[in-house]
Amino acid sequence: MNSMFRRLVLAAACTIGAGAVIAFAEGGGDLVVFDWSGYEDPLLHAAYTAKNGAEPTFAFFGDEDEAFEKMRAGFKADIAHPCSQSVGKWRDAGMLQPLDTSKISGWKDLNPGIMAMKNLATTEDGKAWFMPFDWGNTALLYRTDHVTPQEAQSLRIFADPKFKGRVTIGDNVDDAYALASLVIGLKDWTKMTDQQFKDASDFLRQVHKNIRLYWTDSTDIDQAFSGNEVDLAWGWGQTLIAMTQQGVPIAMNRDTKEGMSTWVCGYVLLKDAPGKLGQAYDFLNAVNAPDVSKYMVTTFGYGHGNGAGMADIDHKVLADRGYDDLGKFLDKTLFQQPVAPELKKRMVDEFEKIKAGY
């Protein structure tokens, strides 16, 4: 996600399955963490390194569907970092093993609103599968020197011909259909009808006409804004922080007429993990530590899964990041909860057609 923190050198590649390539970051430890780029930041797991004397080894994926296919093809890791809409798919595919919550310090301190979401962290049989770690929103970002606040009141701006060649959205099917669902007035995409799917896809086709690039990580979107290539983006809070620090005139509107999208990601323990189980729990404890909360909020611009840690952060800091009222935050959003496998496949297939110009 946040490549500004990629201080570790990409050191090796492992080819598996049908030519898939896994990129690794240097790390001396036995533990292999399959993650988004940027989360190798040592300050997110400092307690792990202090205890084990070495960094974990990180392997990176671009999106969860890519990660899923690589693991199906035989790639082995100990821990992975999926988001809410993929947890059920990975669990049903037999890729996960249950978590022993007695070995996770602060399990009881995890955000109660997130923990209450059905079949996410735990299933009805009481087994735990997912430890929430980071959460945030995807919302409208815009350059204030090219776009007025009045123009930025609706997500339909992404399809406005005025911004042809000046738009970027993520090369991410979940964020894309979250945007389109909001525009057509749908807040619960698990109930999407065939007509709503068509309407959402039609909107994405309109947006495609304005696309400068589909960004794949924070480096892409940050460079597009700082290089004055785009005026509008459907993006994450990290970009707002990074661009503000660089002096780029930018704003994020989380309060558009249609709303915003909220995502939750976290860590899972993979089945047949090749490393030491104790190190896996050391890592989970390290990233869930309360002192990680402020760093996550101020540096990444995301909320932290540890509710107790979040509660200790200065209210003004939380308000500046939009996380001071979780109830209000979730009430105005499309939560990216898991959709039925057949609907997800339709989204994936259709998004590929849209990006290809069909």
Side-chain angles (χ1 to χ4, degrees):
M1 279 184 172
N2 182 5
S3 295
M4 66 182 284
F5 298 109
R6 195 186 294 180
R7 67 149 183 84
L8 300 175
V9 180
L10 290 181
C14 174
T15 302
I16 60 173
V21 175
I22 304 287
F24 286 88
E26 288 181 346
D30 297 325
L31 189 75
V32 177
V33 182
F34 201 18
D35 216 325
W36 305 88
S37 174
Y39 286 91
E40 72 275 21
D41 184 341
L43 294 182
L44 292 177
H45 54 262
Y48 172 89
T49 306
K51 181 175 181 179
N52 290 277
E55 295 282 335
T57 296
F58 283 87
F60 301 113
F61 55 82
D63 62 51
E64 294 142 284
D65 291 321
E66 171 195 336
F68 180 81
E69 293 303 326
K70 288 176 178 177
M71 290 189 292
R72 283 212 310 182
F75 176 71
K76 297 292 185 184
D78 301 295
I79 286 175
H81 190 174
C83 299
S84 54
Q85 62 272 26
S86 294
V87 175
K89 176 182 177 180
W90 290 21
R91 185 172 58 224
D92 293 345
M95 292 180 172
L96 310 183
Q97 60 175 297
L99 297 170
D100 183 347
T101 60
S102 69
K103 296 180 179 179
I104 301 176
S105 302
W107 179 264
K108 68 181 186 307
D109 294 327
L110 290 166
N111 184 289
I114 296 173
M115 294 299 287
M117 293 173 181
K118 186 177 181 180
N119 288 327
L120 181 56
T122 60
T123 44
E124 293 180 355
D125 58 6
K127 292 181 180 179
W129 301 90
F130 172 83
M131 188 187 80
F133 173 60
D134 52 326
W135 54 274
N137 52 265
T138 310
L140 171 61
L141 291 155
Y142 64 98
R143 284 191 61 123
T144 57
D145 53 344
H146 298 160
V147 183
T148 68
Q150 291 73 28
E151 289 176 315
Q153 289 305 305
S154 172
L155 297 178
R156 291 189 177 275
I157 192 174
F158 285 107
D160 186 335
K162 175 181 177 180
F163 297 100
K164 184 176 178 62
R166 303 291 297 176
V167 168
T168 182
I169 68 172
D171 189 3
N172 179 305
V173 67
D174 299 305
D175 271 348
Y177 271 93
L179 167 62
S181 296
L182 286 165
V183 166
I184 67 170
L186 182 64
K187 288 292 200 300
D188 183 352
W189 64 2
T190 66
K191 299 176 180 178
M192 183 180 284
T193 65
D194 288 344
Q195 183 60 50
Q196 288 171 328
F197 178 80
K198 181 182 183 303
D199 293 343
S201 300
D202 287 347
F203 178 75
L204 291 177
R205 284 188 168 84
Q206 295 175 42
V207 174
H208 178 76
K209 297 175 183 178
N210 288 347
I211 289 291
R212 175 69 174 239
L213 76 155
Y214 288 97
W215 61 268
T216 57
D217 62 26
S218 292
T219 299
D220 292 340
I221 189 172
D222 292 356
Q223 289 179 347
F225 268 122
S226 62
N228 197 21
E229 295 181 64
V230 299
D231 297 325
L232 303 169
W234 181 238
W236 303 324
Q238 182 277 329
T239 293
L240 178 66
I241 294 174
M243 293 299 94
T244 299
Q245 291 173 345
Q246 292 184 33
V248 176
I250 192 173
M252 174 180 269
N253 187 1
R254 297 182 176 90
D255 196 28
T256 61
K257 181 170 63 176
E258 298 87 0
M260 61 182 175
S261 178
T262 299
W263 47 265
V264 177
C265 304
Y267 286 104
V268 295
L269 186 58
L270 298 174
K271 189 176 181 181
D272 303 323
K276 297 176 181 177
L277 193 60
Q279 288 187 351
Y281 282 102
D282 288 343
F283 182 84
L284 294 176
N285 285 321
V287 297
N288 190 44
D291 58 5
V292 172
S293 298
K294 185 175 181 180
Y295 185 67
M296 176 69 77
V297 170
T298 57
T299 305
F300 283 74
Y302 308 144
H304 186 223
N306 191 308
M310 290 288 289
D312 285 340
I313 299 174
D314 181 82
H315 184 270
K316 185 179 185 304
V317 174
L318 291 175
D320 287 345
R321 297 294 187 262
Y323 299 141
D324 54 324
D325 187 340
L326 182 59
K328 181 181 178 182
F329 183 89
L330 294 177
D331 182 59
K332 59 193 286 190
T333 190
L334 180 149
F335 175 65
Q336 293 187 19
Q337 57 188 311
V339 298
E342 56 272 18
L343 176 56
K344 181 62 178 290
K345 185 178 187 305
R346 287 181 70 189
M347 290 178 172
V348 170
D349 292 345
E350 197 70 13
F351 192 44
E352 290 303 314
K353 293 178 184 177
I354 291 167
K355 290 186 296 179
Y358 297 103

